[in-house]
Amino acid sequence: MNRILLTTSVVLLILVSAFAVAEERTVVLNVEKMHCALRPVTVRKAIEKVDGVKNVVVDFDRKTATVIYDDDATTIERIADASTNVGYPAAPSRE
């Protein structure tokens, strides 16, 4: 009886963890030093190279990047670092 209970518990644990997959999240980053209309392209391409990033929209007028990403594959820090590393420091928006 204990063996059946243990086996059932393990199987349920495996099934539950299989459904506990990563979620898509959205973050808005404030991006500094974008003074020319071509800079958003540079920022977008850099962020798109980060594993787990699904979509990037860079708004030149607002100096932001809105990023949809898989939170199991990457972090906000990695995404912000991608922009920072190409010369455009980025940090999560406080809004």
Side-chain angles (χ1 to χ4, degrees):
M1 181 69 179
N2 284 341
R3 182 176 245 166
I4 292 172
L5 185 57
L6 179 61
T7 303
T8 303
S9 297
V10 170
V11 168
L12 286 174
L13 182 61
I14 291 170
L15 289 174
V16 169
S17 66
F19 289 107
V21 294
E23 292 185 37
E24 280 190 356
R25 303 222 183 246
T26 302
V27 64
V28 177
L29 301 173
N30 291 324
V31 183
E32 300 175 27
K33 299 184 180 181
M34 285 199 302
H35 303 296
C36 137
L38 292 177
R39 300 306 173 232
V41 175
T42 303
V43 171
R44 180 180 51 80
K45 287 182 177 184
I47 293 174
E48 285 175 339
K49 291 179 182 177
V50 177
D51 287 338
V53 169
K54 306 291 184 186
N55 188 42
V56 182
V57 176
V58 180
D59 186 323
F60 175 70
D61 293 328
R62 293 181 184 211
K63 308 294 189 255
T64 61
T66 302
V67 184
I68 299 173
Y69 67 99
D70 178 341
D71 72 349
D72 193 42
T74 195
T75 64
I76 294 171
E77 291 77 22
R78 287 184 193 149
I79 296 167
D81 285 348
S83 179
T84 300
N85 291 340
V86 293
Y88 305 96
S93 175
R94 302 269 185 227
E95 296 177 17

